[in-house]
Amino acid sequence: MDEPVPLRFDNRFSTELPGEDPAVNRPRQVEGVLWSAVSPTPVAEPTVLATSSALASQLGLEDADLESTWFAQVFSGNSVLPGMRPIATNYGGHQFGHWAGQLGDGRAISLGECVNNAGERWELQLKGAGPTPYSRSADGRAVLRSSLREFVCSEAMHALGVPTTRALSLVATGEPVVRDMFYDGNAQAEPGAVVCRVAPSFTRFGHFELPAARGDRALLEKLVDFTIRRDFPEISGTHARADFFAEVARRTGVMVAHWMRVGFVHGVMNTDNMSILGLTIDYGPYGWVEDFDPNWTPNTTDAQGRRYRFGTQPQIAHWNLSALASALAPLFEDQTPLHSGMNAYVEAFQTAQARMSADKLGLAEWRESDHALLQDLYRWMQAAQVDMTLFFRRLAELDVASATLSDVSAALYDQVRADREAQAFADWMARYAGRVANDSQTPAERQRRMHAANPVYVPRNWLCQQAIDAAAQGDLGELNALLAVLANPYAEQANAERFAQRRPEWARNRPGCSALSCSS
Ligand code: AMP
Ligand code: MG
């Protein structure tokens, strides 16, 4: 590579923590270390399909860099820059409530920790760049449809103000990947792709759980102290470990409150998919609540138990934090700080949820009785089959004193059901009008508050699927249009009505358009 590359690396995870450099890359149990040196597996024909220029500039890259040959080569895994040190990390996890043992980066390869001119640390991680010692029986690759979904949603969540890992690039590999999308024995070749994810740290709850489960206290201790040093530099002193756990708990609470605010369903909240920084991580069979239903999950693999349905996400995060607390327990003589940390989660979630709920309803302050007001609204939305995103946005435009059901018709999935619930809506609006009259804000202030909390555009699964179908045919127009709209999700944009619509009837049962499997 002849061109100078403006990225500087300081790989602390692989420098300060124990790892291995295996001669051969064979799937196996890897004991006693937190990472394995690996090389991305080159691909046939890298084609850059999408980039985030906002993120790129934060890293110190210019738009010209995104078009350069080196960019496509590096972010497809075909070459490694000076200063990078590719590794796959070692973690375990609880999957669907059960301890799963070692999992690890089976198809993620961290290229290195980039430090920008402002001194910010950004780890660059390829997803789908080939096998690692943690690939178990799988291929280390990712298909275009799931990679595009991860790219789009990462950047959309960031624009929505939801803590998340970012995505720098989406690169088609020019190689097929075989997947059994319906788990019915009909495997098919699909186009492959690689996403470059970016975050200050990709450390997961499962990184702590694995050494704890193996009784490797020394390794656990090293990881905890390293994580505090690198990822929580504001924490120090004799209570550092307790403060660390409480801070992870608080951040997780705030993250989940945001999910509930925007109607995001992660779909696979296993502890290996929980970030220590409280970032949304691992976009798989995620989805967006459309017709409001707290029992909905987009993940067909979880259709039976619905463990990770929309409404239980706050409880699941609590469960996951207690799994982390159990992993950390050997480092605490007295377990009280861990219990306090769990309480810190509850408090942080409730505080954030109250603030966000007030914003969603356009109230300057949240009162105890507002809980019932909101819960009754949600009950009505479920009974009447109302689109969550469209409804809250519309609510900001209504004259609360005179609004009727027909004013929210764009958000209704089933007119017959909605008509049956018309009186309930009128009753609720009357209560809401009374509450709003009792609030200290002007109508304009109320509307501004609601517009900042209730997005117009979210990456509904069928919108992503349309972009996927077009991209698979070589047409990137849909993807670019979707990305442009999602970059400003709270602002109504010209000619973008089709991105702010109820799920169309054709999308209800089409694979990928509402529900989808884990196959990716
Ligand atoms: P996920 O359900 O995406 O969180 O993945 C769970 C585990 O399976 C992680 O250890 C992944 O690295 C691994 N995994 C998922 N898909 C693949 C794949 N195609 N190749 C290798 N490992 C994979
Ligand atoms: Mg995962």
Side-chain angles (χ1 to χ4, degrees), residues 91 204 272-273 282:
Y91 57 80
R204 302 149 187 266
D272 52 301
N273 292 338
D282 269 8

Side-chain angles (χ1 to χ4, degrees), residues 1 105 111 119-120 132 134 188 213 215 255 263 322 330 359 442-443 457 462 481 487 517-518:
M1 225 166 299
D105 290 326
L111 296 173
E120 294 168 345
T132 75
Y134 309 97
Q188 293 208 336
M255 171 188 79
S322 54
D359 291 344
T442 65
Y457 311 103
W462 53 275
S517 77
C518 277

Side-chain angles (χ1 to χ4, degrees), residues 91 103-104 106-107 135-136 138-141 179 272-273 282:
Y91 57 80
L103 296 166
R107 56 170 167 176
S135 297
R136 295 176 286 162
D139 58 5
R141 291 298 186 188
R179 287 289 180 272
D272 52 301
N273 292 338
D282 269 8

Side-chain angles (χ1 to χ4, degrees), residues 398-470:
L398 299 183
D399 176 354
V400 292
S402 65
T404 65
L405 193 58
S406 61
D407 293 316
V408 296
S409 60
L412 304 178
Y413 280 91
D414 183 336
Q415 193 63 50
V416 175
R417 282 182 68 154
D419 284 339
R420 230 183 289 147
E421 301 295 330
Q423 187 56 47
F425 179 67
D427 295 346
W428 187 85
M429 277 307 294
R431 278 166 72 197
Y432 179 57
R435 176 64 182 85
V436 165
N438 226 301
D439 203 61
S440 56
Q441 301 167 104
T442 65
E445 284 169 339
R446 170 177 155 264
Q447 192 179 63
R448 219 172 305 125
R449 183 182 291 275
M450 294 176 85
H451 280 173
N454 297 311
V456 191
Y457 311 103
V458 294
R460 298 167 186 262
N461 281 346
W462 53 275
L463 290 173
C464 284
Q465 189 60 44
Q466 288 178 322
I468 292 164
D469 291 342

Side-chain angles (χ1 to χ4, degrees), residues 297-335:
T297 173
N299 183 359
T300 54
T301 315
D302 189 26
Q304 280 298 309
R306 293 179 182 261
R307 180 179 173 85
Y308 299 140
R309 60 190 185 268
F310 176 57
T312 50
Q313 294 185 122
Q315 286 92 298
I316 292 292
H318 187 270
W319 193 95
N320 289 344
L321 277 164
S322 54
L324 177 61
S326 304
L328 299 178
L331 306 187
F332 288 81
E333 233 161 75
D334 170 11
Q335 309 288 302

